[in-house]
Amino acid sequence: MRIVKTPAKILAAIRKERRNGKKIGLVPTLGYLHAGHEALIKRASKDSDVVVLSSFVNPLQFRRKAYEAYPRDTERDLAVCKRLRVDYLFLPVSKVIYPDGFDTRVEVKDLAGRLEGASIRWHYKAVTTIVAKLFNMIEPDKAYFGKKDPHQLILIKRMVADLNFPIKIVAVPTRRAKDGVALSSRNSTLTLEERRALGVLPTALKKVEALIKCGRTDRSALRKILVSMLESEKLVTVDFTAVVDEATLLEDRVGRKTLIYAAVFIGGKRLTDNLVVKNP
Ligand code: PAF
């Protein structure tokens, strides 16, 4: 595995690989790799010849305190990348990504403000900015993102289409425990009782999925069913729910797929999950 720290070097190395006929897969991350990242790397290894993992805690997408507190463990990340045979680890520092005078942002306009985005447009603008920069710095054929964060995924797909990036976005399914709970490093901070209570989240999402598959289209009623199922678990406080068109994130638009999304608090920790279902 090669560790590369500058945009010029990674682009030169990747262009050389491409001249040799190799297909390039990019896994963008914030580092501190977990099981979800491993699933992205494994998928990238399956359908790309060369796997590049970028590890960069993007300061623009965090408030200052959260940026400073973001967990970092480069040694452990290196071990994960080596074990999973990542070919290139792109490990830039902030100054090379945002040199003095950096003054450009890439923003997906209306979509960014939907779902939970109204108050955190700045965050999504920062995500699309860094992802666009990574796409230009690495020029991958494919880039891999988890379905765990559906809003981010939808914005990146929109940006790729709107800005004509010749890159295929591969959405990798969320890994789940036996009881359906989405794997997340946050789960390990729950008590046994809280972890048990979290089971209601995938159960409620699946119930609404089943109703949609049976032909129910009344989304606001479906959202109420979702809320009441979640509230049936006494340790759960519902924070945000949505049953919306997957492409536009609007409740009253009916396209090919429906996104069912929920964010809850359990024991003071905010946990999210979602399912996307094809409309019958
Ligand atoms: O989902 C993430 O890990 C980050 O938002 C991303 C896509 C790597 C951009 O910093």
Side-chain angles (χ1 to χ4, degrees):
M1 180 176 74
R2 271 184 65 187
I3 300 174
V4 184
K5 296 194 171 176
T6 67
K9 283 193 177 143
I10 191 73
L11 188 56
I14 294 308
R15 284 189 172 166
K16 193 167 169 202
E17 297 279 6
R18 176 159 298 105
R19 281 197 298 276
N20 291 333
K22 299 280 168 55
K23 293 283 180 213
I24 317 297
L26 169 65
V27 179
T29 80
L30 296 162
Y32 209 68
L33 305 179
H34 54 64
H37 295 118
E38 294 201 12
L40 300 182
I41 299 170
K42 283 179 188 160
R43 178 66 197 273
S45 304
K46 247 190 208 165
D47 55 17
S48 298
D49 304 313
V50 171
V51 176
V52 184
L53 182 133
S54 65
S55 171
F56 177 61
V57 186
N58 177 25
L60 296 189
Q61 75 185 71
F62 293 96
R63 298 200 195 280
R64 180 187 275 272
K65 276 202 176 136
Y67 173 70
E68 280 159 10
Y70 197 83
R72 295 158 168 91
D73 190 342
T74 308
E75 285 312 307
R76 211 192 52 165
D77 288 354
L78 273 172
V80 172
C81 289
K82 279 187 188 150
R83 175 165 53 81
L84 296 178
R85 297 180 191 286
V86 165
D87 299 286
Y88 291 87
L89 173 59
F90 181 46
L91 202 57
V93 292
S94 205
K95 254 199 307 196
V96 308
I97 298 294
Y98 301 121
D100 284 348
F102 182 85
D103 198 22
T104 300
R105 297 290 182 277
V106 178
E107 181 181 21
V108 180
K109 300 258 333 156
D110 290 347
L111 265 182
R114 294 183 190 155
L115 210 63
E116 294 203 80
S119 58
I120 51 165
R121 283 172 173 279
W122 61 271
H123 164 81
Y124 284 123
K125 201 196 289 186
V127 170
T128 40
T129 299
I130 187 63
V131 171
K133 278 175 72 68
L134 288 167
F135 286 175
N136 284 329
M137 289 184 276
I138 295 164
E139 297 180 344
D141 297 283
K142 293 183 181 176
Y144 299 81
F145 295 88
K147 290 187 179 178
K148 180 80 172 50
D149 187 342
H151 200 170
Q152 171 173 286
L153 179 63
I154 287 160
L155 294 177
I156 290 166
K157 283 184 179 167
R158 186 73 263 159
M159 176 189 78
V160 162
D162 290 353
L163 298 184
N164 306 90
F165 279 109
I167 297 171
K168 182 173 163 38
I169 300 303
V170 181
V172 178
T174 304
R175 292 189 59 215
R176 294 182 181 278
K178 279 207 181 93
D179 63 350
V181 165
L183 296 186
S184 152
S185 36
R186 236 173 236 198
N187 297 355
S188 61
T189 65
L190 300 174
T191 65
L192 274 181
E193 185 57 5
E194 288 165 355
R195 172 62 186 77
R196 182 207 52 74
L198 181 56
V200 75
L201 188 47
T203 306
L205 293 171
K206 283 206 87 61
K207 170 76 187 170
V208 175
E209 177 190 48
L211 292 171
I212 292 171
K213 282 184 175 162
C214 288
R216 288 274 302 258
T217 53
D218 44 346
R219 289 197 174 134
S220 96
L222 288 167
R223 199 179 65 76
K224 283 184 188 141
I225 293 170
L226 179 61
V227 172
S228 82
M229 279 194 76
L230 292 169
E231 282 177 348
S232 70
E233 172 52 66
K234 66 178 187 331
L235 293 186
V236 165
T237 306
V238 178
D239 190 41
F240 184 88
T241 51
V243 180
V244 291
D245 175 50
E246 190 248 1
T248 58
L249 301 176
L250 294 172
E251 193 177 80
D252 58 1
R253 206 65 63 79
V254 182
R256 282 180 48 239
K257 293 176 185 170
T258 300
L259 168 68
I260 314 159
Y261 176 86
V264 298
F265 281 103
I266 300 183
K269 280 136 245 167
R270 194 170 192 274
L271 298 137
T272 67
D273 198 358
N274 72 93
L275 284 177
V276 173
V277 53
K278 267 200 190 130
N279 296 321

